[in-house]
Amino acid sequence: QVQLVESGGGQVQPGGSLTLSCAVTGRLLSSTVMNWFRQTPGKGREFVAAIRWGYGTTVLADSAKGRFAISRDKAENTVRLQMSNLKPGDTAIYHCATGRGIGEYDRWGQGTHVTVSS
């Protein structure tokens, strides 16, 4: 059974950078889409980025374009979300999730907290 564990969150100042990691235990199908979502009490769940495990093609939400990048390392069974030029509005709990499509999820990690403040 696939399990997901996120790490790399923390507190940074506006304009700073963080790289989040999602360690995957278990076997992923080439058709699996790995998604990153974020959750806040006010906005609820928001799609951030996705990558197709097999082909490596990526999709970014408009809020992430130009600032975030998603990648996957098949050898390490890891998905990463590189975030730069962070803004207070990026403060959230970030979750990785497996899904059959972009923005979909069937398994969900416990999340990692990101706080952007001065």
Side-chain angles (χ1 to χ4, degrees), residues 39-116:
Q39 282 191 306
T40 60
K43 294 183 181 179
R45 183 185 304 118
E46 179 185 9
F47 168 75
V48 178
I51 186 166
R52 296 190 182 277
W53 185 252
Y55 290 108
T57 53
T58 63
V59 174
L60 294 172
D62 288 343
S63 60
K65 289 178 181 176
R67 301 188 300 127
F68 295 4
I70 184 171
S71 63
R72 55 100 168 91
D73 186 326
K74 285 187 170 182
E76 294 185 0
N77 243 28
T78 297
V79 178
R80 292 185 176 87
L81 184 67
Q82 295 173 282
M83 307 186 295
S84 61
N85 191 20
L86 284 162
K87 305 174 181 179
D90 295 318
T91 296
I93 301 173
Y94 285 72
H95 298 266
C96 66
T98 57
R100 296 184 179 183
I102 296 167
E104 299 179 5
Y105 58 91
D106 48 40
R107 285 188 176 84
W108 190 261
Q110 87 289 347
T112 185
H113 290 249
V114 172
T115 301
V116 184

